[in-house]
Amino acid sequence: MGVWGDAVTQVLIPGCALVGIGFALFQWFLVSRVKVSEDANGYHDNLIDNEDQEEGVDQLDAVIKCSEIQNAIAVGATSFLFTEYKYLSIFMGAFGVIIFLFLGSVKGFSTESEPCTYNPGNLCKPALANAIFSTVAFLLGALTSVLSGFLGMKIATYANARTTLEARKGVGKAFIAAFRSGAVMGFLLAANGLLVLYVSINLFKIYYGDDWEGLYESITGYGLGGSSMALFGRVGGGIYTKAADVGADLVGKVEKNIPEDDPRNPAVIADNVGDNVGDIAGMGSDLFGSYAESSCAALFVASISSFGISHDFLAMSYPLIISSVGILVCLITTLFATDLSEIKLVSEIEPSLKRQLLISTVLMTAGIAMVSFFALPSEFTLYNFGTDKVVKNWHLFFCVAIGLWAGLVIGYTTEYYTSNAYSPVQDVADSCRTGAATNVIFGLALGYKSVIIPIFAIAIAIYVSFSLAAMYGIAMSALGMLSTIATGLAIDAYGPISDNAGGIAEMAGMSHKIRERTDALDAAGNTTAAIGKGFAIGSAALVSLALFGAFVSRAGISAVDVLTPKVFIGLIVGAMLPYWFSAMTMKSVGSAALKMVEEVRRQFNTIPGLMEGTAKPDYANCVKISTDASLREMIPPGALVMLTPLVAGTLFGVETLAGVLAGSLVSGVQVAISASNTGGAWDNAKKYIEAGASEHARTLGPKGSDAHKAAVIGDTIGDPLKDTSGPSLNILIKLMAVESLVFAPFFAAHGGLLFKLF
């Protein structure tokens, strides 16, 4: 293969990334053909659809309102993200300096070449180079992560009103508008992440030359940058969106008995802005972080194996080629939803989204088989904690494929537990007959139960991939789960876009029929958002384990023995961290929501004519409360995650830190899955009662009934669980692991100060 294989790699990876970006821009163009604003000759004919002139809704007025509301949401989301990124740029600079100082001090900032860590016969570049390049990679990862989130938010705020307007032509048209917009985000993120990583490797190679060990060690900074931005984006966005959501629901629905997204509710704009900054920008950065880290973990382990030592660039790029093929597979899959089949009925929405997962998984399995036989030698050795493991190329096919199919199992299990089409959520809805307390009990039980199957799926994937290909197998299994990231993100971003579309329809005073269509899109979107979170958590568990393995190798630990007190204290403290972190984020949402509730009540009590709809509420004040609270409150949980590895490694040494990482991984996965599924189930139980689609649901409803009020309380409790604590926990697990790996040379050289003193 030699030269020819290298040439194919150099064309294939950037080529696929550019195809992904091109496809995203084409989908954006198709969405932009739906007009929202005024044209030179007044309003477009296609803006004003006479299909539903019921209920005396003034069509032209509704369209103008749509445009105004969309603009208010876009301005709110953009200004929040800019303020957040201003704070984060200070953090990026400061943390970049920390990386440089810690790693540079390993060998006292010397510029001498030194023997390689894994191949002592050869000379490698100095530790100072690792410090500089790790810092550069960190900044690149951070910028790409921020860009992923920002672009996602831009397309979502661009598409929400367009989805509302398309809903007048039928549910199928609205579905396509929302799904295409989700696809723009999915493809931009997957392609950007791949392209920046590929270009960074090639630029770093100019300096590193044949020292692949040093090259791929410094590239791990890319994953650290991606995830550290994702943590703040996820926590900050999650606090923002839930403070507004809880405030709007408690006063609006429970106290004042007005519908969701009613324009009289002062918190309603803040709530819709929150969907974009939390669920879209936060989710984008989060999945980008997972993707960057699993690639970095796989590349690092490969660089100290036979691929790296024999400088086989084609085999070395195996993880990147898998991701490239993933973009092409997702492109074909997307066409099934938008062009090859049309949705005519509300009941077809959810099956169509589920089919996306299945189609992409089946096609990707074939893609993995081709790549495994084309890119890898038929037999090679992999680094396995000091020994070499002989592996065949079909072993790696199974590693990647089992990660991919485990992702599908987690996705479908999550859907079963959070969709109101199945009995678990219907049971939760039924328990609302006897009040909020039984609803809470049933919801918690559902969340705990929903952990069982995903954990078995992750356990099987870990056992099979480790048995076949050691730590490299686990890293590739994680990449397998994320190989269809473009499709996963498209169905995930579809949810908040539909949610916003429903809010805009309500605020613009559109007809009841349109609101029903957007509600149906939104209910399916809730489930797909839960599926997306399931993927993020499952992949985080595998990524974290792969990074943990790489850390143990890099720190020179021969074995992690749970029976030694150093390791065990780390284990038990690590297992506590997800609870401490969740406590911080939940309390932040609670205290921010408290301020929001007081503000909304104040406006209802002091603005005359607000309840009658003759006066306008002060939306800006509520947006300000959410913004201030989230920026202030995201710092302590972020500091907890970023400082723990530094403190544990420096004071207690690498063995205790290994315990901390293992403990946080094991308990974090369980807490994260149960939290996000409990919240998703409560939300859909409420929607089940509101929609009144079945005989059973009608006996519990209508809106405003006692059962419905109990469901709203459950939904409100679930909000911070499913959108703040749960999804941020998967970042906690990965981020501590990747940070430990980046700082491993420092901890191995200078860590464990306390144990050295005593």
Side-chain angles (χ1 to χ4, degrees):
M1 294 291 282
V3 180
W4 184 78
D6 287 1
V8 170
T9 313
Q10 298 280 19
V11 172
L12 179 75
I13 298 173
C16 289
L18 293 172
V19 166
I21 293 170
F23 183 69
L25 295 176
F26 177 62
Q27 296 292 328
W28 183 309
F29 165 72
L30 291 176
V31 173
S32 70
R33 283 169 41 191
V34 181
K35 293 282 179 280
V36 178
S37 50
E38 206 168 340
D39 207 278
N41 52 359
Y43 272 86
H44 267 274
D45 293 339
N46 69 345
L47 276 181
I48 299 166
D49 204 338
N50 296 321
E51 186 206 326
D52 54 57
Q53 282 292 7
E54 55 169 319
E55 299 175 24
V57 175
D58 180 349
Q59 286 284 308
L60 183 61
D61 186 45
V63 172
I64 295 170
K65 269 192 182 156
C66 263
S67 179
E68 284 172 3
I69 296 159
Q70 177 198 26
N71 193 37
I73 293 172
V75 168
T78 310
S79 72
F80 169 73
L81 285 181
F82 273 129
T83 318
E84 184 182 55
Y85 294 155
K86 207 160 61 190
Y87 283 97
L88 288 184
S89 59
I90 300 168
F91 161 77
M92 267 164 59
F95 205 74
V97 172
I98 292 176
I99 294 175
F100 175 72
L101 293 177
F102 270 61
L103 293 180
S105 68
V106 173
K107 291 279 193 298
F109 297 98
S110 86
T111 49
E112 303 289 313
S113 290
E114 55 198 55
C116 299
T117 315
Y118 299 96
N119 207 354
N122 297 357
L123 278 182
C124 280
K125 300 289 186 209
L128 190 63
N130 182 26
I132 294 168
F133 282 98
S134 292
T135 310
V136 172
F138 166 77
L139 296 173
L140 279 172
L143 288 171
T144 314
S145 182
V146 162
L147 186 71
S148 305
F150 187 73
L151 288 174
M153 183 279 298
K154 273 293 185 214
I155 177 70
T157 51
Y158 183 79
N160 48 19
R162 289 173 165 76
T163 305
T164 311
L165 295 173
E166 287 288 87
R168 292 173 311 174
K169 302 177 187 163
V171 74
K173 293 268 191 254
F175 171 79
I176 286 179
F179 189 79
R180 280 204 165 121
S181 319
V184 174
M185 175 178 180
F187 282 94
L188 276 180
L189 185 135
N192 277 340
L194 179 65
L195 196 58
V196 176
L197 181 58
Y198 176 75
V199 170
S200 311
I201 289 173
N202 278 319
L203 290 177
F204 283 18
K205 216 184 221 152
I206 298 170
Y207 170 77
Y208 274 104
D210 281 348
D211 174 14
W212 284 21
E213 188 184 298
L215 165 66
Y216 290 104
E217 187 175 311
S218 58
I219 281 286
T220 51
Y222 183 70
L224 176 61
S227 256
S228 50
M229 292 298 107
L231 175 73
F232 291 104
R234 218 19 162 159
V235 174
I239 293 170
Y240 185 106
T241 174
K242 289 306 120 181
D245 197 355
V246 171
D249 282 1
L250 281 181
V251 185
K253 287 199 251 180
V254 178
E255 292 177 12
K256 298 289 180 189
N257 232 347
I258 57 177
E260 187 161 0
D261 296 317
D262 191 296
R264 292 171 293 180
N265 193 331
V268 69
I269 294 281
D271 185 9
N272 281 292
V273 169
D275 289 336
N276 294 298
V277 296
D279 295 351
I280 297 256
M283 186 68 184
S285 293
D286 179 4
L287 277 174
F288 165 75
S290 280
Y291 167 75
E293 283 163 344
S294 54
S295 304
C296 292
L299 290 168
F300 175 73
V301 179
S303 72
I304 55 180
S305 300
S306 62
F307 304 156
I309 294 161
S310 62
H311 293 98
D312 181 348
F313 187 68
L314 177 63
M316 192 69 214
S317 304
Y318 178 64
L320 301 178
I321 300 173
I322 292 276
S323 304
S324 311
V325 172
I327 292 176
L328 301 181
V329 163
C330 291
L331 196 152
I332 299 164
T333 310
T334 304
L335 299 176
F336 277 95
T338 54
D339 298 275
L340 299 175
S341 63
E342 199 186 345
I343 287 182
K344 293 191 171 59
L345 302 168
V346 166
S347 58
E348 292 171 3
I349 300 171
E350 217 166 287
S352 171
L353 291 165
K354 271 173 71 179
R355 265 202 310 277
Q356 284 285 301
L357 279 180
L358 188 63
I359 294 167
S360 62
T361 304
V362 170
L363 292 176
M364 191 64 208
T365 309
I368 296 166
M370 281 168 15
V371 174
S372 302
F373 293 106
F374 156 73
L376 296 173
S378 56
E379 194 173 276
F380 46 93
T381 61
L382 287 174
Y383 182 85
N384 179 23
F385 299 122
T387 59
D388 280 339
K389 184 179 177 75
V390 177
V391 182
K392 295 185 165 50
N393 54 10
W394 59 268
H395 288 171
L396 275 176
F397 162 71
F398 278 110
C399 292
V400 185
I402 197 161
L404 179 67
W405 284 89
L408 186 72
V409 169
I410 293 173
Y412 276 14
T413 309
T414 309
E415 193 235 8
Y416 172 71
Y417 280 106
T418 54
S419 162
N420 53 28
Y422 303 104
S423 60
V425 171
Q426 291 171 9
D427 290 346
V428 172
D430 190 59
S431 71
C432 293
R433 282 179 308 158
T434 48
T438 40
N439 177 27
V440 170
I441 293 167
F442 269 71
L444 286 171
L446 175 145
Y448 296 146
K449 197 173 169 190
S450 70
V451 174
I452 302 169
I453 297 174
I455 290 294
F456 275 116
I458 293 170
I460 293 168
I462 288 171
Y463 184 78
V464 171
S465 37
F466 190 83
S467 305
L468 290 173
M471 274 300 164
Y472 186 66
I474 292 177
M476 287 315 302
S477 186
L479 252 185
M481 202 179 276
L482 291 166
S483 58
T484 52
I485 186 174
T487 295
L489 256 171
I491 65 173
D492 195 55
Y494 153 88
I497 292 170
S498 310
D499 193 352
N500 259 209
I504 291 173
E506 179 73 50
M507 285 187 269
M510 289 188 150
S511 67
H512 182 64
K513 199 157 72 180
I514 291 179
R515 183 67 200 172
E516 273 185 350
R517 287 172 189 163
T518 56
D519 272 354
L521 290 172
D522 184 19
N526 256 343
T527 303
T528 60
I531 292 176
K533 287 175 193 130
F535 260 92
I537 296 164
S539 62
L542 291 171
V543 170
S544 172
L545 186 60
L547 291 165
F548 175 65
F551 162 71
V552 169
S553 308
R554 184 64 190 83
I557 306 172
S558 50
V560 179
D561 181 0
V562 181
L563 292 176
T564 53
K566 275 186 191 178
V567 175
F568 195 82
I569 56 168
L571 199 62
I572 201 159
V573 171
M576 171 275 296
L577 288 173
Y579 293 92
W580 189 1
F581 180 83
S582 300
M584 283 178 163
T585 49
M586 299 276 291
K587 183 117 187 308
S588 302
V589 171
S591 55
L594 201 68
K595 289 198 184 85
M596 188 66 78
V597 167
E598 284 165 357
E599 171 63 17
V600 175
R601 277 183 189 151
R602 183 192 69 75
Q603 292 198 27
F604 273 121
N605 294 334
T606 57
I607 300 178
L610 181 56
M611 222 22 220
E612 294 70 42
T614 52
K616 267 190 150 178
D618 178 4
Y619 295 129
N621 220 3
C622 290
V623 170
K624 186 176 181 320
I625 287 178
S626 256
T627 304
D628 293 349
S630 59
L631 294 173
R632 191 178 56 250
E633 302 279 358
M634 73 182 182
I635 295 165
L640 173 73
V641 179
M642 299 301 290
L643 294 176
T644 300
L646 290 178
V647 172
T650 309
L651 297 181
F652 298 96
V654 284
E655 288 169 327
T656 307
L657 179 53
V660 170
L661 296 180
S664 65
L665 164 63
V666 169
S667 86
V669 174
Q670 334 278 339
V671 181
I673 296 175
S674 64
S676 61
N677 289 351
T678 296
W682 274 326
D683 197 347
N684 273 346
K686 175 201 70 176
K687 289 219 167 40
Y688 175 74
I689 295 174
E690 286 175 351
S694 67
E695 194 51 51
H696 175 234
R698 283 192 286 278
T699 60
L700 298 167
K703 283 186 184 179
S705 68
D706 284 346
H708 177 248
K709 282 188 172 165
V712 170
I713 291 171
D715 172 37
T716 312
I717 298 170
D719 274 336
L721 283 172
K722 78 172 176 17
D723 289 321
T724 313
S725 298
S728 313
L729 276 174
N730 62 56
I731 307 177
L732 167 132
I733 304 167
K734 300 178 305 200
L735 184 53
M736 294 204 332
V738 74
E739 192 183 332
S740 304
L741 173 59
V742 170
F743 286 105
F746 174 80
F747 297 148
H750 304 302
L753 295 178
L754 277 185
F755 290 135
K756 284 176 185 164
L757 292 174
F758 300 111

